[in-house]
Amino acid sequence: AAPIGIVAVGMTFVVISGNYLDLSVVAQVATAGVILLGVGPVYGYPVAILAALLAALVYGVVNGVAVGYFKANAVIVTLATTYIGVGLLRFFSGGSIFFGSPDSVVAQFGQGKLGPIPYSAIVLVIVTLILSFVLTRTNFGFTVKSFGVNERATRLGGTNTGLVIVGAFLVTAIAAMIAGFVLAAFSNTAVSSMSQGFDFRALAAIIVGGTSVFGGKGSVLRTLLGVIFVSVLSNVLVILNFSFGIQQMALGFLIAAAVSLDALARRAGKK
């Protein structure tokens, strides 16, 4: 659950800002994983990490500028960058599957534990705490929330709202990069299709955690609880031997129910 959890706590910023979701996390996670295992063994892991960070910055800036400054629809923009990103990844990688060395530092991290706790879980907790601090204790976090509540009032207050949205998408992109590293390390493999479904699983965790898809209300810590709930639900369905199709249906019903309850709560609050 750690890779999806890291994506979810990062995407919480975009959802709270009122831009619903970032579908391009699918391409971002895969890009980071492929760069780590494709570039790292050849040019060194520091170079691979820097290259993945550059790719994350490109994703964040492109999405943020298109949505924040040009007022484009976030779903359409991030869907487009998903296809472009995955297409470029398949073009440059040739659709190959990259395997890491079992003795590499990446593999050791992916399988390593601190006592009974996997390193990947520790990374999830650290990222969650950092982003929770950013959202609740910094001016940037305050403006992200205020933008989600009332964009016009935030803009009239002198805030560069376009820059706020770019920042929200950058947070999501960097979190997705870290998630790609963790996912590649855990399996010690990377391929362009490695993160399919991450967008909606992350969204399910965010919504179940109580973050409103209409923006302005939410918590990174509650998103973590949503991640745990969705992961437990998925594991229970697997243990009970339900098919993958049933699992997808359950996730879809969960998202629909959570969004409906959120809409009803907002309507009741206005009354």
Side-chain angles (χ1 to χ4, degrees), residues 7-8 10-25 67 71-79 144 147-148 151 165 168-169 172 198-200 202-207 211-217 223 255 259 262-263 266 270:
V7 170
M11 198 196 295
T12 300
F13 281 74
V14 170
V15 178
I16 288 178
S17 72
N19 286 289
Y20 298 108
L21 74 162
D22 183 352
L23 292 173
S24 65
V25 293
V67 175
K71 308 302 180 184
N73 183 282
V75 174
I76 301 300
V77 168
T78 57
L79 183 62
V144 166
F147 185 90
E151 176 185 354
I165 297 304
F169 276 101
T172 302
F198 267 45
D199 45 2
F200 288 105
L203 180 63
I206 292 169
I207 295 174
T211 296
S212 173
V213 294
F214 300 101
K217 183 182 73 173
T223 292
I255 294 175
V259 170
D262 180 34
R266 288 176 62 88
K270 289 180 179 179

Side-chain angles (χ1 to χ4, degrees), residues 179-238:
F181 290 165
V182 171
L183 181 61
F186 180 76
S187 62
N188 208 25
T189 58
V191 66
S192 58
S193 59
M194 63 190 290
S195 54
Q196 287 183 351
F198 267 45
D199 45 2
F200 288 105
R201 287 184 177 274
L203 180 63
I206 292 169
I207 295 174
V208 169
T211 296
S212 173
V213 294
F214 300 101
K217 183 182 73 173
S219 164
V220 171
L221 294 178
R222 288 205 300 268
T223 292
L224 179 61
L225 296 178
V227 170
I228 295 171
F229 178 83
V230 171
S231 299
V232 170
L233 175 63
S234 299
N235 287 341
V236 168
L237 292 176
V238 170

Side-chain angles (χ1 to χ4, degrees), residues 44-79:
Y45 291 110
V47 173
I49 292 172
L50 289 175
L53 178 60
L54 178 61
L57 294 177
V58 170
Y59 273 110
V61 170
V62 169
N63 288 335
V65 169
V67 175
Y69 285 100
F70 297 131
K71 308 302 180 184
N73 183 282
V75 174
I76 301 300
V77 168
T78 57
L79 183 62

Side-chain angles (χ1 to χ4, degrees), residues 240-264:
L240 295 177
N241 202 29
F242 283 101
S243 67
F244 182 67
I246 297 296
Q247 296 175 42
Q248 287 184 308
M249 289 173 58
L251 189 62
F253 280 122
L254 185 64
I255 294 175
V259 170
S260 299
L261 289 173
D262 180 34
L264 290 173

